[in-house]
Amino acid sequence: MNGLNRSSQESLPTSQQVEHSHNHSTDHEHEHPDHAVQGDSVHPHVHSEESLRRIVNRLARIEGHIRGIKTMVQQNTPCPDVLLQIAAVRGALDRVARIVLDEHLTECIARAAQEGNIDTEIAQLKAALDRFLP
């Protein structure tokens, strides 16, 4: 199969298959290092363990997919096949970014609005989007 193994051929989940869990009975807090560097007030970002698990699992699948692409290149797989797999990884990364952004908007921005520091949070989000978007 031109150097493709089964795991690198499996299609990555679509955005319609993504489920969001906002059950915060087992919350996880982390601080974003960029916040401290920018000198803005640092607040904890709280995400459910289930949400973190789903994101980490998606990233692990993407990591495996990238290893599959590396194998394809090492085995001289035709370039169009390699490019197709790279496009699949790009799409999967975009879906992970969408999940992270969606959770940030629904959880972190909403929390900042309730706490009265929405302006700082919006400024930080804009700065992150400036780095993320081409």
Side-chain angles (χ1 to χ4, degrees):
M1 281 201 175
N2 293 333
L4 286 176
N5 60 28
R6 174 146 169 69
S7 65
S8 66
Q9 279 187 330
E10 291 176 357
S11 64
L12 295 169
T14 64
S15 58
Q16 290 81 15
Q17 294 171 317
V18 176
E19 296 177 21
H20 289 79
S21 170
H22 297 294
N23 176 357
H24 291 280
S25 59
T26 56
D27 289 340
H28 176 74
E29 293 187 17
H30 64 275
E31 294 181 357
H32 294 275
D34 287 345
H35 294 190
V37 171
Q38 295 172 356
D40 295 330
S41 63
V42 177
H43 70 278
H45 285 243
V46 181
H47 304 280
S48 73
E49 290 295 330
E50 179 67 14
S51 175
L52 291 175
R53 183 188 62 76
R54 286 181 179 160
I55 291 170
V56 168
N57 286 345
R58 280 179 171 269
L59 291 171
R61 284 194 303 272
I62 292 167
E63 183 180 29
H65 204 142
I66 290 171
R67 280 193 304 272
I69 294 170
K70 180 181 172 186
T71 299
M72 291 173 69
V73 171
Q74 291 170 332
Q75 295 178 348
N76 292 316
T77 300
C79 295
D81 295 342
V82 173
L83 290 171
L84 182 64
Q85 295 304 312
I86 291 171
V89 167
R90 277 185 177 168
L93 280 172
D94 286 344
R95 287 187 293 276
V96 169
R98 174 60 192 231
I99 292 167
V100 171
L101 177 59
D102 180 61
E103 182 157 317
H104 186 68
L105 291 172
T106 59
E107 298 295 328
C108 303
I109 297 288
R111 187 175 311 108
Q114 290 174 345
E115 295 171 358
N117 58 350
I118 189 70
D119 293 335
T120 300
E121 194 67 35
I122 293 292
Q124 291 170 350
L125 177 58
K126 285 181 180 180
L129 288 174
D130 284 343
R131 289 186 304 268
F132 177 74
L133 298 173

